Amino acid sequence: MNKLLVLPILILSLISFQLNAQCCPTSKSDKKVTINNNQQTVKLVKFKITGITCAGCSNTIYKALKEANGIIEHSVKYPGDIAIIEFDDTKTSIEALKKVIEKKGYKVKVVKENIEGKA
């Protein structure tokens, strides 16, 4: 009787394992590259942005930051008019990030620098 139970459980376990393996294939673009901390310094900055009047404004700023060099991760919140940016300070600076936003017609003020983050 025990042998009859073990075989179906074993088969179901193998099928489940196979389905999980097929579920989430990894491609070359999904692989993360580990960077030595000596080469990259990740910092966070929080900006207060003046002039955002709608979600379209925040989307414009988001897209502009997405194109900027050195951005690792970022968000622009409306309402709230806040941008939080995680960046590689070997590739860009807080002043350069401010200029990206200011070029779109908004005023930027640094609220916090070097926020403790995921880095």
Side-chain angles (χ1 to χ4, degrees), residues 37-108:
N37 285 338
N38 293 336
Q39 296 174 346
Q40 181 183 41
T41 306
V42 177
K43 290 190 177 178
L44 268 86
V45 65
K46 182 177 181 180
F47 290 137
K48 175 70 175 172
I49 304 170
T50 305
I52 297 178
T53 59
C54 65
C57 296
S58 64
N59 194 35
T60 298
I61 296 167
Y62 182 87
K63 286 180 180 178
L65 289 169
K66 187 176 183 180
E67 307 253 335
N69 189 28
I71 301 292
I72 297 167
E73 192 172 318
H74 67 290
S75 66
V76 181
K77 298 182 182 186
Y78 174 80
D81 308 341
I82 297 290
I84 299 173
I85 306 166
E86 183 178 11
F87 65 98
D88 177 354
D89 79 340
T90 63
K91 294 182 180 178
T92 191
S93 66
I94 291 174
E95 286 303 313
L97 297 173
K98 282 177 66 175
K99 287 179 184 176
V100 167
I101 298 170
E102 288 169 346
K103 280 184 181 179
K104 295 296 177 182
Y106 303 93
K107 294 184 180 181
V108 182

